[in-house]
Amino acid sequence: MANADYETHEHDVVVIGAGGAGLRAAIEAAAQGVSVGLICKSLLGKAHTVMAEGGIAAALGNVWPEDTWQVHFRDTMRGGKMLNNWRMAQLHAQEAPERVLELERWGALFDRTKDGRILQRDFGGHRYARLAHVGDRTGLEMIRTLQYHGIHQGIDVYMECTIARLLKDGERVSGAVGYWRPHGKVVLFKAKAVVLATGGIGKAWKITSNSWEYTGDGHALALWAGADLIDMEFVQFHPTGMVWPPSVRGILVTEGVRGDGGMLKNNKGERFMFNYIPEFFKGETADNEDEADRWYDDKKSNRRTPDLLPRDEVARAINAEMKAGRGSPHGGVYLDIASRRPADYIRRRLPSMYHQFKELAGVDITKEPMEVGPTCHYVMGGVRVDADSTAATVPGLFAAGEVAGGMHGSNRLGGNSLSDLLVFGRRAGLHAALYAKDFGGPLTVDAGQVEAVAREVLEPFSRAGGENPYAIQADLQETMQSLVGLIRSERELTEALRKIETLKARAKRVRAEGARTYNPGWHTALDLRSLLAVAECCAMAALERKESRGGHTRDDHPYTDDQWGRVNVVLRLRDGALQLSREPLPEMPAELRALFQERK
Amino acid sequence: MPTFTLRVFRGDPTRGEFKDYRVEAEEGMVVLDVIHRLQATQATDLAVRWNCKAGKCGSCSAEIDGQPRLMCMTRMDLFAEGEPITVAPIRAFPLIRDLVTDVGFNFEKAKTIPPLRLKPPEPDGTYRMMQEDIDRIQEFHKCIECFLCQDVCHVIRDHEENKPAFAGPRFFIKLASLEMHPLDTRDRTAFGRTTAGVGLCNITKCCTEVCPEGIHITDNAIIPLKERVADSLDPIVWLLRKFRSQKTQPV
């Protein structure tokens, strides 16, 4: 072991990422009695989960006793246009209620029903009001609950530490190397099992609801370590991001606005969603305003408002209205809750939306409509995992939450992310701990690999005349926004891949100025490695899939194609080159298939 | 496009100074946008902590013209174009570099708070809570841990020596939220008096004034905590509390 040069920590399980999935994984692993390290890129409690607004989808049946895991499962699969890993969707629907109740036992205070149970709200694509929530700050409640429960479980927390590479011992993962953001020193983590819980890739786009951290680190770490990625073409553009003023463009406006009665309108005042009901959802969607309005209070005899179609459908509709010249003055459409609900209701149900529009845009949402438009929000694709254990295709590596692929198919329903984090975070922690307990032989770390990573992270300081990291990042964001956006084509995707090649070459010359102490320029230079890797995967997979489905819309292949409904696009790195293949979806058993034939 | 002079603290614990930068600001921009523009164009290594840029994560706390604020929620149109805008790190915590401080104090204090001790569930295994019984605590749960209340608190702002015996306003609301939690059975009165140092607060309400979430820290959390501490020392009140619910809601 020749790593005495670097600060070294050893754990049975190391969890990378401390949002909902990472925290839940660390708590579960610790409960199994193994030693756990939890690595956060930011401070504890600041991960992206904190920004989640609407709620946690779970068929608790508190508001609509008719709701069961089977209905939730069906909604999830249909929302994902049947491309989901059925077993993940099943486990998710079955276990989400218990995960929510567990949060309550750990101190979370959800909004209540009149009889004192957890209140549930309507959201897109969910047949019944299903989202456990706290106003519009559910993610904050969730992360604080996990954080304050977690700090008493004997977990070692490493804050403001970025992981640069995973380490391998032969085929299996043996740890990770990263750097401390505050002082810039290299740090080595030796681990029997590693859980990736790093979130998504949204920072590769210009208009995004994602924070600086969302640079696809976990996707890239897995890819570089030899693991498979699936479904990377599926990127969710949330239909409602802020559009004005320019500096807040992309900031999320919760789907809860529509769940609580908000209506989308164009500049003629028309509720245009009635014009965009796809065949697939016709049976369950109201085709007139009266029925849609009645649905809020009577779900049994009315069909759901088209304002609450799944996000992919709504985002495309908004995009089409804007392109047809029926948009709002600042390039969005209107989202109006003021004309349906009284001011005190809006302030109580949506306090942070009220605050956000008032403070940042000077708009009072209790009096006037918001202007909203699509914003890059979530990647459905990710590390290919075993549904039950969350194990990746590399031994010792596990993945949960946004970084894992399969659960949401081609499009995620709102509210299914927070529940995904809890269900699969717990499973990842459990199975990583079990794997660590069964681990045979010595835990070996190759000093040469550690050295190579240490050299790699310090390289930007040696390139005095090199490129500005922010300029490369901005050019990548522009490329992905304009060429790998909501609507795609072969010509644009080919162009995107060509530009990404150029950006990769430029990134090899990226420079860092100043010293290693808390240096965001240097951090950005290093984040470019993963950003470019995930951008390339996304564009390649998008070029491959010649159909339109969920979060992947091809102008040149505008229809959903059954042939493509049977395969995942898989990416893996072999001998330094990205390999792409189409591989069959796991087949759903007959008793679950029957759920899709019962109803319209 | 208006151009502003930003007077930004640059330095580390050994030395530092305010440096002037000229930056353009578009309509609707906040201080954090301008700091980012500075980073991208003039000072790539300018250290600043941020995440959500929407007032939800509490990472970008700073002192702007002497006022503790979130950079992401401070609009540039608050300022006149001619005057320099001073941006400094929060002062109550040790500097790491530029606008970033070591807020580890808060994470250490967090660990000392005795966690929830759950009462037994209803026969069906779940719990019932009425909305009106949790409204007050939900207010405390809005805390985004920006630590501006800690930064502005007289007890620790310029008194390093008080830090070991004082948890600070952020953790008083944490303490109050647990004390008022309908499912909790633990008594933290002694902890509040001794380890957390509730008695050191002299109710100047500075914390409440800077809270970006508008939490009534002093009125709704600290004063009720102080009352509990005082009551716990009074044998008659103590007996009364034994017979009534321990979880009475303060007004």
Side-chain angles (χ1 to χ4, degrees):
Chain A
M1 286 300 185
N3 298 312
D5 295 352
Y6 303 108
E7 180 186 335
T8 303
H9 302 275
E10 186 168 338
H11 291 285
D12 293 317
V13 175
V14 158
V15 180
I16 306 172
L23 271 161
R24 188 63 191 83
I27 289 168
E28 193 64 22
Q32 299 302 316
V34 301
S35 115
V36 184
L38 175 62
I39 303 171
C40 340
K41 202 168 164 182
S42 287
L43 296 172
L44 185 62
K46 309 297 185 191
H48 220 280
T49 302
V50 82
M51 292 184 70
E53 293 164 356
I56 313 174
L60 292 158
N62 289 354
V63 177
W64 294 91
E66 297 85 345
D67 200 12
T68 62
W69 76 260
Q70 287 91 344
V71 188
H72 190 184
F73 167 74
R74 182 179 178 274
D75 288 346
T76 299
M77 291 294 304
R78 283 176 57 81
K81 295 277 161 66
M82 306 303 287
L83 209 73
N84 320 50
N85 176 312
W86 67 266
R87 177 65 179 158
M88 290 177 89
Q90 181 190 29
L91 289 169
H92 167 258
Q94 287 174 329
E95 295 177 6
E98 174 49 27
R99 296 284 79 75
V100 170
L101 294 171
E102 175 179 78
L103 279 188
E104 183 163 88
R105 293 196 293 274
W106 294 346
L109 291 170
F110 296 103
D111 289 350
R112 315 308 294 181
T113 61
K114 290 227 169 5
D115 65 347
R117 295 186 297 164
I118 294 171
L119 181 61
Q120 298 180 273
R121 76 155 34 116
D122 283 310
F123 239 56
H126 293 282
R127 185 176 184 86
Y128 297 110
R130 184 177 284 147
L131 272 66
H133 61 279
V134 187
D136 56 0
R137 53 162 195 84
T138 313
L140 174 67
E141 187 74 11
M142 178 159 143
I143 203 165
R144 278 295 172 272
T145 302
L146 292 170
Q147 173 187 346
Y148 277 85
H149 183 74
I151 57 177
H152 298 290
Q153 310 305 315
I155 300 160
D156 285 325
V157 180
Y158 304 93
M159 294 198 284
E160 300 201 303
C161 180
T162 303
I163 295 301
R165 293 266 177 183
L166 299 178
L167 298 171
K168 296 278 291 284
D169 175 20
E171 280 306 299
R172 69 190 183 189
V173 165
S174 60
V177 179
Y179 58 93
W180 289 104
R181 294 174 57 237
H183 52 66
K185 293 191 181 121
V186 170
V187 56
L188 163 62
F189 295 93
K190 293 158 74 173
K192 294 173 186 163
V194 171
V195 176
L196 295 173
T198 51
I201 68 172
K203 209 58 195 169
W205 280 263
K206 187 175 164 188
I207 300 173
T208 176
S209 66
N210 292 181
S211 81
W212 72 272
E213 289 189 290
Y214 258 38
T215 51
D217 294 14
H219 291 79
L221 292 172
L223 185 73
W224 296 330
D228 291 358
L229 301 184
I230 59 167
D231 295 342
M232 288 302 289
E233 64 274 35
F234 298 113
V235 176
Q236 179 166 85
F237 290 82
H238 193 293
T240 61
M242 292 178 81
V243 297
W244 190 89
S247 65
V248 301
R249 194 168 188 127
I251 291 179
L252 188 65
V253 178
T254 177
E255 191 166 325
V257 176
R258 283 171 286 138
D260 289 351
M263 299 160 280
L264 290 163
K265 293 177 178 174
N266 62 21
N267 65 14
K268 299 181 183 342
E270 295 160 345
R271 290 171 65 178
F272 58 83
M273 281 310 301
F274 291 97
N275 306 326
Y276 295 92
I277 304 168
E279 198 56 45
F280 192 74
F281 292 109
K282 275 220 161 92
E284 61 205 67
T285 310
D287 57 10
N288 63 85
E289 295 188 12
D290 290 342
E291 182 178 356
D293 290 346
R294 286 196 305 268
W295 170 83
Y296 280 101
D297 300 314
D298 176 6
K299 292 188 170 51
K300 282 185 194 154
S301 41
N302 298 289
R303 292 169 298 174
R304 184 166 59 226
T305 172
D307 284 312
L308 284 173
L309 278 165
R311 288 175 175 173
D312 53 333
E313 308 290 355
V314 181
R316 275 189 295 269
I318 291 175
N319 188 61
E321 286 295 300
M322 282 157 47
K323 279 203 169 151
R326 293 189 291 271
S328 64
H330 299 103
V333 294
Y334 292 109
L335 175 58
D336 172 21
I337 188 166
S339 63
R340 189 200 289 273
R341 303 289 187 203
D344 61 337
Y345 176 91
I346 298 170
R347 276 194 296 264
R348 179 165 50 83
R349 300 282 300 167
L350 303 161
S352 89
M353 290 304 103
Y354 174 75
H355 186 66
Q356 177 176 313
F357 272 90
K358 191 107 183 153
E359 296 291 321
L360 297 174
V363 168
D364 181 348
I365 68 167
T366 67
K367 295 198 175 78
E368 43 189 330
M370 296 156 249
E371 277 187 74
V372 295
T375 178
C376 181
H377 185 55
Y378 188 90
V379 62
M380 273 65 73
V383 180
R384 182 188 227 173
V385 291
D386 171 69
D388 288 76
S389 69
T390 80
T393 49
V394 167
L397 187 63
F398 300 79
E402 190 172 351
V403 69
M407 160 65 212
H408 304 286
S410 69
N411 172 62
R412 175 175 69 79
L413 294 185
N416 272 0
S417 178
L418 294 186
S419 42
D420 170 11
L421 306 184
L422 294 172
V423 168
F424 292 102
R426 177 188 153 275
R427 284 184 163 269
L430 173 65
H431 290 278
L434 294 177
Y435 174 91
K437 284 180 179 176
D438 286 345
F439 188 88
L443 176 59
T444 314
V445 164
D446 169 26
Q449 288 180 38
V450 180
E451 258 330 298
V453 186
R455 269 198 309 277
E456 183 185 14
V457 299
L458 293 176
E459 263 175 6
F461 286 109
S462 64
R463 303 186 190 116
E467 292 242 16
N468 178 334
Y470 297 101
I472 301 175
Q473 192 191 43
D475 289 348
L476 174 65
Q477 290 165 340
E478 191 66 57
T479 300
M480 296 303 281
Q481 190 71 37
S482 59
L483 302 174
V484 196
L486 183 60
I487 314 287
R488 302 153 175 184
S489 70
E490 179 171 334
R491 188 185 55 76
E492 290 181 343
L493 291 167
T494 310
E495 172 73 2
L497 283 166
R498 198 187 55 73
K499 287 199 168 173
I500 290 167
E501 272 312 306
T502 315
L503 289 165
K504 278 162 70 182
R506 284 174 62 194
K508 290 205 170 77
R509 301 190 300 269
V510 69
R511 70 165 194 266
E513 290 167 342
R516 282 156 75 174
T517 314
Y518 218 108
N519 184 339
W522 176 41
H523 305 159
T524 303
L526 294 175
D527 285 345
L528 285 173
R529 302 170 318 137
S530 48
L531 267 180
L532 284 160
V534 293
E536 183 174 19
C537 288
C538 176
M540 271 180 79
L543 183 61
E544 176 74 3
R545 185 173 283 274
K546 290 169 186 63
E547 66 153 355
S548 292
R549 180 185 299 268
H552 170 68
T553 306
R554 287 279 298 259
D555 221 6
D556 46 353
H557 298 279
Y559 300 105
T560 303
D561 177 340
D562 287 346
Q563 295 296 323
W564 279 105
R566 298 190 189 103
V567 290
N568 295 118
V569 174
V570 181
L571 284 153
R572 58 177 70 91
L573 204 57
R574 291 292 178 268
D575 302 320
L578 266 180
Q579 290 181 356
L580 183 147
S581 59
R582 299 176 198 177
E583 299 183 19
L585 287 179
E587 201 169 325
M588 192 188 294
E591 73 266 23
L592 291 180
R593 266 206 317 276
L595 292 172
F596 299 88
Q597 283 132 27
E598 285 170 7
R599 278 192 295 255
K600 51 208 168 186
Chain B
M1 213 185 303
T3 302
F4 291 88
T5 299
L6 236 59
R7 187 161 287 171
V8 183
F9 180 83
R10 301 297 312 267
D12 58 33
T14 57
R15 65 198 147 85
E17 58 179 351
F18 283 91
K19 270 188 82 171
D20 284 3
Y21 298 91
R22 298 282 291 163
V23 205
E24 289 182 330
E26 286 142 45
E27 187 179 5
M29 271 193 169
V30 293
V31 170
L32 186 58
D33 290 315
V34 180
I35 292 284
H36 283 158
R37 180 164 281 181
L38 243 178
Q39 245 182 359
T41 55
Q42 302 178 45
T44 61
D45 66 338
L46 171 60
V48 57
R49 198 182 260 138
W50 70 285
N51 283 72
C52 77
K53 217 178 99 57
K56 294 183 169 69
C57 78
S59 299
C60 64
S61 302
E63 298 191 5
I64 303 167
D65 281 348
Q67 292 293 315
R69 310 182 69 116
L70 295 177
M71 285 188 265
C72 72
M73 295 304 279
T74 305
R75 284 176 63 140
M76 289 301 290
D77 56 18
L78 276 176
F79 306 101
E81 215 180 315
E83 295 291 311
I85 304 161
T86 308
V87 188
I90 50 176
R91 197 171 84 194
F93 304 110
L95 182 69
I96 294 176
R97 203 166 73 80
D98 300 344
L99 301 176
V100 177
T101 54
D102 176 357
V103 291
F105 166 82
N106 300 290
F107 292 93
E108 290 308 313
K109 289 293 175 189
K111 283 189 234 166
T112 67
I113 312 276
L116 191 76
R117 185 190 285 151
L118 209 56
K119 72 177 193 185
E122 305 289 327
D124 69 355
T126 67
Y127 289 92
R128 299 286 183 279
M129 287 182 265
M130 292 298 142
Q131 185 63 45
E132 55 273 26
D133 293 333
I134 62 166
D135 279 339
R136 173 66 53 85
I137 319 161
Q138 283 188 326
E139 180 194 5
F140 302 146
H141 282 207
K142 281 159 63 186
C143 172
I144 58 173
E145 300 205 323
C146 63
F147 307 128
L148 289 175
C149 59
Q150 306 284 80
D151 177 50
V152 82
C153 178
H154 301 303
V155 180
I156 47 174
R157 184 169 170 90
D158 291 310
H159 294 281
E160 199 61 31
E161 71 279 9
N162 284 341
K163 282 185 177 175
F166 187 72
R170 188 301 169 240
F171 297 102
F172 295 153
I173 64 169
K174 180 69 196 170
L175 205 52
S177 75
L178 286 163
E179 283 291 279
M180 298 176 196
H181 197 297
L183 305 186
D184 181 64
T185 59
R186 199 190 288 267
D187 183 357
R188 295 171 191 76
T189 327
F191 173 85
R193 187 176 62 240
T194 54
T195 318
V198 176
L200 286 174
C201 165
N202 52 8
I203 328 186
T204 51
K205 297 198 178 185
C206 305
C207 50
T208 304
E209 276 167 32
V210 299
C211 179
E213 287 294 311
I215 301 170
H216 301 89
I217 303 172
T218 316
D219 290 349
N220 290 355
I222 298 180
I223 292 175
L225 280 180
K226 280 176 170 284
E227 284 170 352
R228 281 178 189 226
V229 167
D231 287 355
S232 72
L233 301 173
D234 180 332
I236 296 168
V237 178
W238 183 85
L239 264 178
L240 279 173
R241 277 168 60 91
K242 277 279 151 196
F243 291 110
R244 294 202 199 126
S245 163
Q246 288 226 337
K247 296 285 170 192
T248 44
Q249 291 281 316
V251 265

